[in-house]
């Protein structure tokens, strides 16, 4: 029932009520007060949720818009092959599984493009850094036939393995491991390869052991007048993003721009693995490649060859959407990032021969080589 003072005011206003009516009125007042309290709490919760959602969604939308903008416009007419392209080739070429007819077919494909380097898988390295010579019994024969079928094309030995501490693999911080990797590089050069190509993953941004390895092996390759090249991760799309993703996932996906530049200074050629980006649609992937191309150009010394990787394979996973990460989008994105009058020691690299389809080859040729 209302307080006596309030009841008296209502009586003076001619609003005298029976006791049962006072109780009904009082109940209505309490319900309205509880409703206002509940709505106030609900409004605070909804406001907090809306703010949190905006903090997540708006940056994502902004990043998507920026990538879509990177993919807009037409590539420069002169952003075409410079004859500095490459392709990764699987292990079957050096273990005897590939036939002479298949080599003839590969040579025919290469002659119609700007491909200058073949990265032929010759490893993998053992986790201690050594290379088992029995892994590539057909290497010398393949090299002789490849050089005859494709005059002027360099055949580099692709050596790879997983890297500690993220994986159970190579400990690049250990000098003895680096010594054995350098010895492996000497082995493949003794077989007649025209260069050494390292694909060691995942090398964490800032790793001093990897830089020390490049210094050591580059001395060997320079003495033999052959190139040292590396497959490099993507560069932080936003400064510091690599540290954030590493803290959340314990996976070293990106290199900082500074670390990329430090590695590039120690080699003759860098091939950026510009795929497995998690981009959901083709236009965003193409814009991402354009952005990566711009970043790589800014952080690669002028005398070092720079190549951007093309995803000539199919997968449909959280990190690689097959309908989005296409050769067509990567070629167009790289051309947009290169721009008019871009550097001449620039190319594209197809990954990988045993998964590449006629459509992949056609997209590469039509978008870049023709």
């Amino acid at each position: 029932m209302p307080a006596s003072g309030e009841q008296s005011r209502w009586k003076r206003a001619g609003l005298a009520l029976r006791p049962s009516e006072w109780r009904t009125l009082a109940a209505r007042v309490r319900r309205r007060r509880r409703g206002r309290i509940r709505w106030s709490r609900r409004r605070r919760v909804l406001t907090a949720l809306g703010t949190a959602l905006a903090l997540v969604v708006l940056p994502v939308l902004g990043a998507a818009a920026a990538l879509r903008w990177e993919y807009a416009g037409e590539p420069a007419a002169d952003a075409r092959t410079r004859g500095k392209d490459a392709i990764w080739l699987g292990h079957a070429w050096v273990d005897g599984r590939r036939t002479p007819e298949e080599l003839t077919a590969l040579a025919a494909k290469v002659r119609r493009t700007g491909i200058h380097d073949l990265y032929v898988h010759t490893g993998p390295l053992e986790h201690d850094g050594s290379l088992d010579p029995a892994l590539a019994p057909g290497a010398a024969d393949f090299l002789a036939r490849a050089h005859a079928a494709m005059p002027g094309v360099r055949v580099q030995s692709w050596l790879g393995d997983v890297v500690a501490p993220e994986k159970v693999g190579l400990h690049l911080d250990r000098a003895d491991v680096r010594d054995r990797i350098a010895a492996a590089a000497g082995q493949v050069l003794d077989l007649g390869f025209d260069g050494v190509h390292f694909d060691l993953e995942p090398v964490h941004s800032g790793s001093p052991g990897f830089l020390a390895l490049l210094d050591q092996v580059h001395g060997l390759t320079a003495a033999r007048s052959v190139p040292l090249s590396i497959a490099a991760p993507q560069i932080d799309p936003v400064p510091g993003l690599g540290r954030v993703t590493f803290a959340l996932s314990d996976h070293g996906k990106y290199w900082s721009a500074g670390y990329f530049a430090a590695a590039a200074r120690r080699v003759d050629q860098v091939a950026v693995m510009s795929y497995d980006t998690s981009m959901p649609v083709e236009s965003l992937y193409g814009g991402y490649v354009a952005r990566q191309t711009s970043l790589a150009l800014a952080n690669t010394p002028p005398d070092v060859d720079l190549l951007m990787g093309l995803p000539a394979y199919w997968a449909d996973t959280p990190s690689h959407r097959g309908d989005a990460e296409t050769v067509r989008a990567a070629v167009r994105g790289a051309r947009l990032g290169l721009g008019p009058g871009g550097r001449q020691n620039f190319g594209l690299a197809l990954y990988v021969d045993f998964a590449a389809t006629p459509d992949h080859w056609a997209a590469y040729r039509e978008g870049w080589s023709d």
Side-chain angles (χ1 to χ4, degrees):
M1 187 174 293
S4 57
E6 183 178 356
Q7 186 174 359
S8 299
R9 287 195 299 274
W10 286 10
K11 284 182 178 180
R12 288 195 298 270
L15 298 174
L17 300 174
R18 292 190 296 274
S20 61
E21 292 174 325
W22 281 115
R23 286 192 295 272
T24 300
L25 180 61
R28 289 176 180 172
V29 170
R30 286 194 296 271
R31 284 197 299 271
R32 288 174 181 171
R33 287 175 178 169
R34 285 196 298 269
R36 285 195 297 270
I37 293 171
R38 283 197 298 270
W39 170 244
S40 178
R41 290 174 179 168
R42 188 180 299 115
R43 184 169 56 189
R44 288 197 299 270
V45 170
L46 290 173
T47 299
L49 288 175
T51 301
L53 187 62
L55 290 173
V56 173
V57 171
L58 290 179
V60 171
L61 292 177
L67 291 180
R68 186 63 186 85
W69 177 258
E70 294 268 8
Y71 199 57
E74 289 299 320
D78 66 345
R80 293 285 186 172
T81 187
R82 280 92 161 105
K84 294 284 189 177
D85 304 333
I87 183 170
W88 281 276
L89 301 182
H91 197 85
W93 292 103
V94 294
D95 66 6
R97 283 178 287 165
R98 292 290 191 181
T99 66
E101 292 75 21
E102 288 174 309
L103 180 61
T104 299
L106 175 65
K109 292 176 182 176
V110 167
R111 277 195 297 271
R112 299 176 57 192
T113 69
I115 290 176
H116 178 56
D117 285 287
L118 310 180
Y119 306 138
V120 186
H121 190 268
T122 320
L125 297 167
E126 300 293 334
H127 291 344
D128 67 356
S130 62
L131 176 64
D132 182 356
L135 290 174
D141 179 62
F142 168 74
L143 287 167
R145 291 187 293 111
H147 285 138
M150 294 170 278
V153 172
R154 295 187 302 196
V155 186
Q156 299 192 45
S157 172
W158 165 12
L159 298 176
D161 192 20
V162 294
V163 177
E166 188 172 323
K167 305 288 186 180
V168 177
L170 297 168
H171 287 268
L172 297 179
D173 56 330
R174 287 173 43 182
D176 63 315
V177 172
R178 297 196 299 270
D179 287 344
R180 283 187 283 271
I181 297 174
Q187 281 179 239
V188 296
L189 293 180
D190 289 342
L191 287 172
F193 280 98
D194 303 316
V196 176
H197 176 78
F198 284 139
D199 179 13
L200 307 176
E201 303 179 49
V203 172
H204 291 170
S205 184
S207 165
F210 182 66
L211 299 183
L213 173 67
L214 297 183
D215 285 332
Q216 185 172 352
V217 177
H218 199 205
L220 171 67
T221 56
R224 300 202 187 193
S225 300
V226 296
L228 172 62
S229 67
I230 57 171
Q234 297 150 34
I235 302 172
D236 275 344
V238 178
L241 180 62
R243 290 194 297 271
V244 174
T245 58
F246 183 77
L248 294 174
S249 65
D250 290 328
H251 173 52
K253 180 176 177 60
Y254 302 108
W255 278 356
S256 70
Y259 189 73
F260 183 97
R265 287 194 299 270
R266 290 166 164 82
V267 299
D268 303 292
Q269 188 181 63
V270 178
V272 180
M273 296 179 286
S274 42
Y275 35 76
D276 293 343
T277 65
S278 300
M279 291 294 117
V281 294
E282 196 174 37
S283 60
L284 296 186
Y285 173 63
Y288 184 87
V289 173
R291 177 61 178 158
Q292 283 294 311
T293 301
S294 299
L295 289 170
L297 286 166
N299 291 283
T300 303
D303 60 339
V304 174
D305 293 347
L306 172 64
L307 288 76
M308 302 303 294
L310 304 179
Y313 63 97
W314 173 266
D316 202 11
T317 66
S319 64
H320 181 99
R321 304 295 298 178
D323 290 332
E325 295 197 19
T326 65
V327 171
R328 178 178 60 249
V331 169
R332 189 170 185 274
R335 291 182 66 197
L336 288 165
L338 179 61
R343 69 192 288 162
Q344 290 304 301
N345 54 339
F346 179 88
L348 302 180
L350 285 157
Y351 180 87
V352 57
D353 77 297
F354 54 79
T357 66
D359 287 342
H360 291 140
W361 280 100
Y364 160 63
R365 288 193 303 268
E366 293 165 8
W368 180 246
S369 294
D370 293 348

